[in-house]
Amino acid sequence: MRKAAPLALLFALAGCGDTYTPGPLYQATSPDCGTPVDADTFELPRGITVAATTVLPQAAEGGMEIGVNYMLPRTTQVHFATAHFQVSQPKGPLIENATVLSVYQRPTNGKPEMVEIVNGVPLVLFAVGTSDDTQFRYRLIIKGKMPKRFDLTPPDVLIGGKRYVSRTFTYRWFEDKQAYGMCH
């Protein structure tokens, strides 16, 4: 019986592993997506999060800018399974792939550093060991004329060798503000 106890403990601990249950994969909670929000965060396994921000108009270049932030706890990493931030009709066809303007890496206790962009999207993010969390901020530009409502879908990610889908963030034109914004 004493020899079986450590084995039973090992099986019990193995069952406590990945208990990740994703939140809703589509941000809009109503057909009209009428409630404006400034930002939205989606939790991935191992304490990793992805968040999107509201739209910043780009008067000089045309189009609009959106920020997408990944927060990685110490010792974690994210591999992108796909290489595009897709802009699409609501739950519909692709309009365009957003262009990555820049990526900033910042330990939460340090100064931001520019991360070199390779083919538009760094495909692996590594948390630094000197900080509790590391933030990666993607500045995206959408160049085309957008419909009154559209979706932004970040790349699928690989965490611990397993593929995960991210939330699709929803944006719409708010007539009263005369601007695009994120909505529920």
Side-chain angles (χ1 to χ4, degrees):
M1 184 68 168
R2 291 175 69 118
K3 291 181 182 179
L7 187 58
L9 179 61
L10 180 63
F11 285 125
L13 291 175
C16 295
D18 192 9
T19 59
Y20 172 72
T21 303
L25 294 175
Y26 195 69
Q27 180 184 18
T29 57
S30 65
D32 70 342
C33 200
T35 306
V37 293
D38 291 330
D40 188 49
T41 300
F42 180 72
E43 292 185 21
L44 291 161
R46 300 186 183 178
I48 298 168
T49 61
V50 58
T53 63
T54 195
V55 172
L56 298 172
Q58 295 293 306
E61 299 93 11
M64 59 185 78
E65 182 180 318
I66 296 176
V68 176
N69 298 314
Y70 289 86
M71 191 69 74
L72 281 67
R74 186 184 323 227
T75 73
T76 59
Q77 58 183 283
V78 169
H79 296 259
F80 287 113
T82 55
H84 302 287
F85 290 84
Q86 296 183 333
V87 180
S88 62
Q89 295 284 344
K91 295 185 179 180
L94 178 70
I95 298 171
E96 70 177 85
N97 289 319
T99 301
V100 177
L101 293 176
S102 63
V103 181
Y104 292 91
Q105 173 184 342
R106 182 180 76 85
T108 53
N109 62 350
K111 293 182 181 179
E113 306 170 10
M114 185 68 144
V115 176
E116 185 176 339
I117 298 173
V118 179
N119 295 328
V121 179
L123 297 178
V124 182
L125 308 177
F126 295 97
V128 298
T130 57
S131 178
D132 289 340
D133 295 286
T134 304
Q135 177 188 35
F136 292 87
R137 178 169 175 74
Y138 283 76
R139 287 181 54 224
L140 308 175
I141 188 146
I142 301 168
K143 297 176 184 173
K145 180 163 174 46
M146 290 293 105
K148 294 280 185 188
R149 183 170 159 187
F150 64 92
D151 291 337
L152 172 70
T153 305
D156 290 356
V157 296
L158 297 169
I159 300 171
K162 188 172 177 185
R163 188 175 183 140
Y164 296 94
V165 176
S166 182
R167 169 173 291 155
T168 295
F169 300 100
T170 307
Y171 296 85
R172 68 168 280 222
W173 178 259
F174 286 96
E175 197 64 43
D176 59 331
K177 297 178 182 182
Q178 289 294 296
Y180 281 97
M182 188 180 283
C183 61
H184 275 285

Short mmCIF file of all heavy atoms in Angstrom, two decimals, residues 129-154:
data_model
loop_
_atom_site.label_atom_id
_atom_site.label_comp_id
_atom_site.label_asym_id
_atom_site.label_seq_id
_atom_site.Cartn_x
_atom_site.Cartn_y
_atom_site.Cartn_z
N GLY A 129 12.89 36.69 -17.89
CA GLY A 129 12.99 36.08 -16.58
C GLY A 129 13.19 37.08 -15.45
O GLY A 129 13.17 36.71 -14.29
N THR A 130 13.35 38.36 -15.80
CA THR A 130 13.64 39.37 -14.78
C THR A 130 12.40 40.14 -14.34
O THR A 130 12.51 41.08 -13.57
CB THR A 130 14.68 40.37 -15.32
OG1 THR A 130 14.16 40.95 -16.52
CG2 THR A 130 16.01 39.69 -15.59
N SER A 131 11.24 39.76 -14.82
CA SER A 131 10.01 40.47 -14.49
C SER A 131 8.89 39.47 -14.30
O SER A 131 8.89 38.39 -14.91
CB SER A 131 9.67 41.43 -15.64
OG SER A 131 8.46 42.11 -15.37
N ASP A 132 7.91 39.83 -13.48
CA ASP A 132 6.76 38.95 -13.28
C ASP A 132 5.97 38.76 -14.57
O ASP A 132 5.43 37.69 -14.82
CB ASP A 132 5.83 39.51 -12.20
CG ASP A 132 6.44 39.41 -10.81
OD1 ASP A 132 7.37 38.60 -10.62
OD2 ASP A 132 5.99 40.15 -9.92
N ASP A 133 5.90 39.81 -15.39
CA ASP A 133 5.16 39.76 -16.65
C ASP A 133 5.93 40.51 -17.73
O ASP A 133 6.67 41.45 -17.44
CB ASP A 133 3.78 40.41 -16.51
CG ASP A 133 2.89 39.66 -15.55
OD1 ASP A 133 2.41 38.58 -15.92
OD2 ASP A 133 2.66 40.16 -14.43
N THR A 134 5.71 40.11 -18.98
CA THR A 134 6.28 40.80 -20.13
C THR A 134 5.14 41.15 -21.07
O THR A 134 4.33 40.28 -21.41
CB THR A 134 7.31 39.92 -20.87
OG1 THR A 134 8.31 39.50 -19.95
CG2 THR A 134 7.95 40.67 -22.02
N GLN A 135 5.10 42.41 -21.47
CA GLN A 135 4.06 42.87 -22.40
C GLN A 135 4.65 42.98 -23.80
O GLN A 135 5.75 43.49 -23.99
CB GLN A 135 3.53 44.24 -21.97
CG GLN A 135 2.50 44.79 -22.93
CD GLN A 135 2.11 46.22 -22.60
OE1 GLN A 135 2.94 47.01 -22.15
NE2 GLN A 135 0.86 46.56 -22.83
N PHE A 136 3.88 42.49 -24.79
CA PHE A 136 4.20 42.68 -26.20
C PHE A 136 3.05 43.47 -26.79
O PHE A 136 1.91 43.01 -26.75
CB PHE A 136 4.34 41.33 -26.92
CG PHE A 136 5.54 40.55 -26.48
CD1 PHE A 136 5.47 39.70 -25.39
CD2 PHE A 136 6.74 40.67 -27.14
CE1 PHE A 136 6.57 38.98 -24.97
CE2 PHE A 136 7.86 39.95 -26.74
CZ PHE A 136 7.77 39.11 -25.65
N ARG A 137 3.35 44.66 -27.30
CA ARG A 137 2.30 45.51 -27.87
C ARG A 137 2.48 45.59 -29.38
O ARG A 137 3.49 46.09 -29.86
CB ARG A 137 2.35 46.91 -27.27
CG ARG A 137 1.32 47.84 -27.86
CD ARG A 137 1.20 49.13 -27.06
NE ARG A 137 0.30 50.07 -27.66
CZ ARG A 137 -1.02 49.99 -27.68
NH1 ARG A 137 -1.59 48.95 -27.11
NH2 ARG A 137 -1.77 50.91 -28.25
N TYR A 138 1.48 45.10 -30.10
CA TYR A 138 1.45 45.17 -31.56
C TYR A 138 0.66 46.40 -31.97
O TYR A 138 -0.47 46.59 -31.53
CB TYR A 138 0.76 43.93 -32.13
CG TYR A 138 1.62 42.70 -32.13
CD1 TYR A 138 1.86 41.99 -30.96
CD2 TYR A 138 2.21 42.26 -33.30
CE1 TYR A 138 2.66 40.87 -30.96
CE2 TYR A 138 3.01 41.13 -33.32
CZ TYR A 138 3.23 40.44 -32.14
OH TYR A 138 4.02 39.34 -32.14
N ARG A 139 1.27 47.24 -32.80
CA ARG A 139 0.57 48.37 -33.42
C ARG A 139 0.20 47.93 -34.83
O ARG A 139 1.06 47.66 -35.65
CB ARG A 139 1.45 49.61 -33.47
CG ARG A 139 1.64 50.25 -32.11
CD ARG A 139 2.49 51.51 -32.19
NE ARG A 139 1.96 52.46 -33.16
CZ ARG A 139 2.70 53.12 -34.05
NH1 ARG A 139 4.00 52.97 -34.10
NH2 ARG A 139 2.14 53.96 -34.90
N LEU A 140 -1.10 47.84 -35.07
CA LEU A 140 -1.61 47.37 -36.36
C LEU A 140 -2.25 48.53 -37.11
O LEU A 140 -2.88 49.39 -36.49
CB LEU A 140 -2.68 46.30 -36.16
CG LEU A 140 -2.33 45.11 -35.28
CD1 LEU A 140 -3.56 44.23 -35.10
CD2 LEU A 140 -1.19 44.31 -35.87
N ILE A 141 -2.10 48.53 -38.42
CA ILE A 141 -2.82 49.51 -39.23
C ILE A 141 -3.71 48.75 -40.21
O ILE A 141 -3.31 47.73 -40.77
CB ILE A 141 -1.89 50.50 -39.95
CG1 ILE A 141 -2.73 51.60 -40.60
CG2 ILE A 141 -1.05 49.84 -40.99
CD1 ILE A 141 -2.10 52.94 -40.61
N ILE A 142 -4.92 49.27 -40.34
CA ILE A 142 -5.88 48.75 -41.31
C ILE A 142 -6.01 49.84 -42.36
O ILE A 142 -6.39 50.97 -42.05
CB ILE A 142 -7.23 48.43 -40.64
CG1 ILE A 142 -7.02 47.40 -39.52
CG2 ILE A 142 -8.23 47.95 -41.65
CD1 ILE A 142 -8.19 47.24 -38.61
N LYS A 143 -5.66 49.51 -43.59
CA LYS A 143 -5.55 50.52 -44.63
C LYS A 143 -6.82 50.75 -45.43
O LYS A 143 -7.06 51.83 -45.92
CB LYS A 143 -4.41 50.15 -45.59
CG LYS A 143 -3.06 50.12 -44.92
CD LYS A 143 -2.00 49.67 -45.88
CE LYS A 143 -0.66 49.54 -45.17
NZ LYS A 143 0.36 48.95 -46.01
N GLY A 144 -7.62 49.72 -45.58
CA GLY A 144 -8.80 49.83 -46.45
C GLY A 144 -9.95 50.57 -45.80
O GLY A 144 -9.95 50.86 -44.61
N LYS A 145 -10.95 50.89 -46.62
CA LYS A 145 -12.17 51.49 -46.11
C LYS A 145 -12.98 50.38 -45.44
O LYS A 145 -13.21 49.34 -46.03
CB LYS A 145 -12.96 52.13 -47.25
CG LYS A 145 -14.24 52.78 -46.78
CD LYS A 145 -14.76 53.73 -47.82
CE LYS A 145 -16.12 54.30 -47.46
NZ LYS A 145 -16.30 54.77 -46.13
N MET A 146 -13.37 50.62 -44.23
CA MET A 146 -14.06 49.60 -43.45
C MET A 146 -15.57 49.74 -43.54
O MET A 146 -16.09 50.85 -43.66
CB MET A 146 -13.66 49.69 -41.97
CG MET A 146 -12.24 49.27 -41.68
SD MET A 146 -11.96 47.52 -41.96
CE MET A 146 -11.04 47.59 -43.49
N PRO A 147 -16.27 48.61 -43.46
CA PRO A 147 -17.74 48.67 -43.38
C PRO A 147 -18.15 49.22 -42.01
O PRO A 147 -17.30 49.44 -41.14
CB PRO A 147 -18.15 47.21 -43.55
CG PRO A 147 -16.96 46.42 -43.11
CD PRO A 147 -15.76 47.25 -43.43
N LYS A 148 -19.43 49.40 -41.80
CA LYS A 148 -19.94 49.95 -40.53
C LYS A 148 -19.60 49.06 -39.34
O LYS A 148 -19.56 49.52 -38.21
CB LYS A 148 -21.46 50.14 -40.59
CG LYS A 148 -21.90 51.19 -41.58
CD LYS A 148 -21.73 52.56 -41.01
CE LYS A 148 -22.29 53.59 -41.97
NZ LYS A 148 -22.00 54.93 -41.59
N ARG A 149 -19.34 47.79 -39.58
CA ARG A 149 -18.95 46.87 -38.51
C ARG A 149 -17.95 45.86 -39.08
O ARG A 149 -18.09 45.41 -40.21
CB ARG A 149 -20.18 46.15 -37.97
CG ARG A 149 -19.87 45.23 -36.82
CD ARG A 149 -21.14 44.73 -36.17
NE ARG A 149 -20.88 43.51 -35.44
CZ ARG A 149 -21.79 42.77 -34.88
NH1 ARG A 149 -23.06 43.09 -34.95
NH2 ARG A 149 -21.47 41.67 -34.23
N PHE A 150 -16.92 45.53 -38.27
CA PHE A 150 -15.93 44.55 -38.71
C PHE A 150 -15.33 43.84 -37.50
O PHE A 150 -15.47 44.28 -36.36
CB PHE A 150 -14.82 45.21 -39.56
CG PHE A 150 -13.97 46.20 -38.83
CD1 PHE A 150 -12.79 45.81 -38.21
CD2 PHE A 150 -14.34 47.54 -38.76
CE1 PHE A 150 -11.99 46.72 -37.54
CE2 PHE A 150 -13.55 48.46 -38.09
CZ PHE A 150 -12.37 48.06 -37.48
N ASP A 151 -14.66 42.73 -37.78
CA ASP A 151 -14.02 41.92 -36.75
C ASP A 151 -12.51 41.94 -36.93
O ASP A 151 -12.02 42.02 -38.06
CB ASP A 151 -14.48 40.47 -36.83
CG ASP A 151 -15.93 40.27 -36.44
OD1 ASP A 151 -16.48 41.12 -35.71
OD2 ASP A 151 -16.52 39.25 -36.87
N LEU A 152 -11.78 41.82 -35.82
CA LEU A 152 -10.33 41.65 -35.83
C LEU A 152 -10.02 40.35 -35.10
O LEU A 152 -10.38 40.19 -33.94
CB LEU A 152 -9.62 42.81 -35.12
CG LEU A 152 -8.11 42.63 -34.92
CD1 LEU A 152 -7.38 42.71 -36.27
CD2 LEU A 152 -7.57 43.67 -33.97
N THR A 153 -9.36 39.43 -35.81
CA THR A 153 -9.03 38.14 -35.22
C THR A 153 -7.51 37.98 -35.17
O THR A 153 -6.87 37.89 -36.22
CB THR A 153 -9.65 36.98 -36.03
OG1 THR A 153 -11.06 37.20 -36.14
CG2 THR A 153 -9.39 35.64 -35.36
N PRO A 154 -6.92 37.96 -33.96
CA PRO A 154 -5.48 37.71 -33.84
C PRO A 154 -5.13 36.29 -34.28
O PRO A 154 -6.01 35.43 -34.38
CB PRO A 154 -5.22 37.89 -32.34
CG PRO A 154 -6.36 38.69 -31.83
CD PRO A 154 -7.53 38.27 -32.68
#
